[in-house]
Every structure is written in structure tokens, then in C-alpha cells.
Amino acid sequence: MNILLKSATIVDSSNSDYHLKKLDIHIQDGIIKDIAPNIDVSDNVQVIEDHNLHVSIGWFDSGVSFGEPGYEERETIANGLYTAARSGFTDIVLNPNTNPVPDSSSDIIFFKNAARSNAVNIHPLGALTIKSEGESLAELYDMKSAGAVGFYDYKRPISNPNLMKVALQYAHNFNGLVISFPMDKQITGKGIVNEGEVSTKLGLKGIPHMAEELNLARDLFILEYTGGKLHVPTISTAKSVKLIAEAKKKGLDVSCSVAIHNLCFTDETLLGFDSRFKLMPPLRTNKDSKALLKGLKDGVIDFVTTDHRPMDIELKRVEFDNAANGTIGLESAFGILNSLLGLENTIALLTKGRERYGLSNPSLKIGEKAVLTLFNPDIKYTFTEEDILSSSKNSAFLDSKMKGRAIGIIGNNQLIH
């Protein structure tokens, strides 16, 4: 690789020498060789000079699902990684919701090997319990040694509080990250949407706020007793933000994320019975969305995730009650966040979160490995199916107005552009 990024506006608030300045960046053999206002290079250099080219360190997503192995019709690893790259992501945390569920070191090694020659890095999660059945702990230490960055029964709450206690105590011995989906299954029952005025209008069974909040309060209470590291993915209520804030004030080692769709959609979106908006956790009220956004700006919520979850058409184009949960979100992430939060806040969020998973942050400096995202923050467009690169097309963001588009990435001595 021998590339010159020409007249690229650098967005990197951690580096005042470069931040929001238009500079040339020379990359050779995957290393940043020079950053200057005008770099003269030889004829054998590939020059990237896109209109309104911007660059930041590579984007990170803490919650991505594919399908392979087991559900290749939803998404393969190869196409999923290509989608991530074209969407601007150089690093993804891969959810353990394949078939079989990755609950051993050999499963983790499979995912690491699958992305070994790719521009995008996969950081796999292992299941917290065997087969994610919530009965017995999986091989946590062995999976950590093989490269797992955390342990999670994807979208399945741990009903047994003693199992959660033992998991936190055991993982604490090797600095393992326990991830717990906040949902009390007994209170949720057969609910499929947020319980409230909209669910009553639609005649759909509701999931009350306390189904999330009770489980979260329980886990935080256990964490205070055991110590260790806990991550709570995709919180969705105002009370959950408050509970996390209180736990952090106590000094508990807890982090949380919010899905992008819970920031910009509410349960009123469901009035059209469109199964693209059937999600877990469900879309909540306008009050909740505002509280989530405030929690994100205040730093109570640590980072955003696309919660990218491909589902093939047969699982979505059915009656709302029977439709599968989930939306894809990689392709639309930047355009939505940039419209909602502005450029600098968006880049800060999209480059945040690696440390929580024990990963090092890339650096946009001379002599460092080039782990970069290329994008145009000003282009305005309507998101359509033509913008979807995923094998599955179940996007809640279709027909949404976007501002900004990812152009590609540079990672592992490769350019995807």
C-alpha cells in the first residue's frame, strides 16, 4: 500500500495540531509516513482526493450481529465485514448469536481466523453460559485466552441471580467483562412493544419499563457486592439512565450503551404496524428518547451501538406479532448520528469504546499504524434500499433523511473505498 489522502480534513479532538485542519496524509505499508499541508509524492502513489474528504481514526461498534455460522442466509462474515468497512467501521464487537452459539475457545478462534486477512477487525464475544441457556457458565477463561473480549448471552437475560453473582466473581479473577441484557422475562411475559398508550391503541401486549429497570437494579446490586466489570447493552428507559448514573457515583465498574434507533424513534412509530420497527428492547416513549440522548451527552451512557441485526425477509414480512426483532444499522449509523448530534460529537462517539473491551485505541500520528475512516459529513440524502449493503434488508431507517456518508476505511494495510 502506498496512498496519499489529499486535502483531507482531520477530525481528531485529541490532537490540537491536526483537529479540523485540511492536510495531506501519506500512508505506506500500512504506516502513516507523513502529515503535512502539501506532500509531494512519486508517480506510484495512489492519490485519494474525494470531494469534501474528511478522516478520523477508525470507527468502532460494540454490538454487531452477522449470521454465519448457522444463519448464512441472513449474513455471511465476508459480506458483513465488507458492509462494516463501507460503513466506516474498522473494528466491530461480534455478538454471540450464531448456530452453534460460541461458548468455547475453538469457536472464538474460528471468528478470529475468519477476519485474519480483512481490513476490519472482529472482536468476538463468547456466550456467558453454555449454549446461552442460562444454566451453567461457559468456558470463560479459555475463551478470553483465545481472544474473546467479553461474555454475553445475546438478548437473553440471566434469570438466576446467583449465576450472575458467580459470573462476576469468576470473571473478576482475569479482568473479564460480563455483559448482561436488562430484561426480566417474567415481567415481560409475551409482551412485544412498549407498554403504554400506543400498545393499548394497537392492541399489542406491552413490555413495561420496569421489566428492564428491575433486572438492571438487581445486576447493579450484585455488582456492588461482587466487584468486577459489568456492561449493560442497549438500555432504553429514562429510569435506566438514572440507575446507571447512581451506580457510577458509587464507583461501580459499570458501562452501558444505547442503540441508535432508540435515540431517534419512539413507540409512536409503531402506529403503522411496520415490523421493521419491532425491536428488542422495544422503542419507548419520547420522554425516554430525550433522557437517553441527554445521558449520552452527559457521559452517563458510555457509547452508542448500531445493534446491527440482519434478519431475512421471511422473518420480517409477517404479522407484527410473529415478526422477528431487529434492524440492520451499520450503513445508516453515521448519517443518522451526524444529523442528530453534529460532526464532532458523532466522531467522538463512533471512535469511543475500545478501552472497555481491553482494546488499544488507534492514533492518527506519524509513525503509527493507519486505522482510519474516510467520510463526507455534509452530503444530504434519503436512505433507500440502494444504500443497503447487507444481505438482509430489514432497516428501520429506510426513507430517513441523512446527513453525511462514509466513504471507506484504511486498516490492516488495506484500503476499502
Side-chain angles (χ1 to χ4, degrees), residues 141-403:
Y141 180 76
D142 288 348
M143 288 193 288
K144 167 97 170 169
S145 300
V149 296
F151 312 106
Y152 180 30
D153 288 353
Y154 179 72
K155 304 285 186 184
R156 297 184 185 185
I158 301 299
S159 298
N160 183 343
N162 187 60
L163 187 61
M164 176 57 65
K165 176 179 77 73
V166 172
L168 284 164
Q169 288 174 325
Y170 177 55
H172 192 25
N173 292 318
F174 52 88
N175 199 33
L177 179 65
V178 173
I179 303 171
S180 177
F181 182 67
M183 189 67 67
D184 188 303
K185 290 191 292 186
Q186 290 181 310
I187 292 178
T188 300
K190 295 182 179 179
I192 57 174
V193 298
N194 179 60
E195 182 179 87
E197 184 179 336
V198 172
S199 66
T200 303
K201 285 181 180 179
L202 297 176
L204 297 173
K205 293 179 180 179
I207 301 174
H209 286 62
M210 69 173 177
E212 174 173 310
E213 295 153 5
L214 277 175
N215 199 95
L216 175 57
R218 183 207 72 174
D219 286 352
L220 293 172
F221 190 85
I222 295 171
L223 178 66
E224 188 172 7
Y225 176 80
T226 60
K229 293 167 60 177
L230 177 67
H231 178 65
V232 185
T234 60
I235 64 171
S236 68
T237 76
K239 179 70 171 179
S240 290
V241 178
K242 185 178 179 181
L243 288 169
I244 293 287
E246 291 170 351
K248 288 186 173 184
K249 285 180 181 178
K250 291 180 180 179
L252 301 187
D253 192 354
V254 61
S255 58
C256 67
S257 66
V258 61
I260 294 172
H261 45 259
N262 282 101
L263 295 173
C264 54
F265 298 122
T266 69
D267 57 354
E268 292 186 0
T269 313
L270 301 173
L271 292 171
F273 282 100
D274 191 332
S275 63
R276 290 184 298 121
F277 299 101
K278 189 180 181 187
L279 305 164
M280 184 60 63
L283 298 175
R284 301 290 190 179
T285 66
N286 186 53
K287 177 184 175 182
D288 292 308
S289 293
K290 287 181 177 178
L292 292 168
L293 197 57
K294 185 177 186 301
L296 194 62
K297 292 176 179 178
D298 293 345
V300 175
I301 299 176
D302 297 271
F303 35 88
V304 296
T305 174
T306 64
D307 200 19
H308 180 85
R309 191 181 188 186
M311 284 291 169
D312 50 279
I313 192 171
E314 290 82 3
L315 296 174
K316 275 294 189 179
R317 289 192 180 174
V318 294
E319 295 84 356
F320 193 93
D321 292 60
N322 299 322
N325 293 310
T327 176
I328 57 174
L330 286 170
E331 299 97 314
S332 52
F334 178 59
I336 286 290
L337 286 174
N338 190 38
S339 301
L340 197 63
L341 299 169
L343 177 59
E344 293 186 64
N345 289 330
T346 295
I347 298 304
L349 286 170
L350 288 175
T351 55
K352 191 179 180 184
R354 288 177 171 89
E355 305 97 323
R356 190 58 175 164
Y357 296 86
L359 306 170
S360 59
N361 270 321
S363 180
L364 212 167
K365 294 180 180 177
I366 296 171
E368 297 288 339
K369 287 184 178 179
V371 183
L372 306 175
T373 297
L374 316 179
F375 57 97
N376 179 342
D378 297 327
I379 185 171
K380 295 181 180 180
Y381 60 103
T382 299
F383 190 78
T384 68
E385 195 163 312
E386 293 180 358
D387 297 301
I388 295 177
L389 301 171
S390 302
S391 299
S392 296
K393 310 301 179 185
N394 56 305
S395 174
F397 299 96
L398 284 172
D399 300 321
S400 295
K401 301 296 183 183
M402 301 279 177
K403 182 183 179 185

Side-chain angles (χ1 to χ4, degrees), residues 3-22:
I3 291 174
L4 179 68
L5 303 180
K6 192 70 179 171
S7 299
T9 300
I10 296 174
V11 184
D12 184 359
S13 60
S14 67
N15 190 331
S16 58
D17 291 335
Y18 300 149
H19 184 48
L20 299 182
K21 294 180 180 176
K22 190 173 287 190

Side-chain angles (χ1 to χ4, degrees), residues 89-108:
F89 293 90
T90 59
D91 294 82
I92 60 162
V93 173
L94 188 65
N95 288 318
N97 60 330
T98 53
N99 186 19
V101 170
D103 59 4
S104 68
S105 58
S106 60
D107 297 322
I108 301 302

Side-chain angles (χ1 to χ4, degrees), residues 78-92:
N79 191 66
L81 291 173
Y82 175 72
T83 300
R86 289 291 306 275
S87 302
F89 293 90
T90 59
D91 294 82
I92 60 162

Side-chain angles (χ1 to χ4, degrees), residues 55-75:
V55 62
S56 71
I57 64 170
W59 299 346
F60 172 81
D61 191 347
S62 64
V64 174
S65 301
F66 293 150
E68 184 182 357
Y71 304 111
E72 287 84 353
E73 72 279 5
R74 299 178 187 175
E75 188 62 280

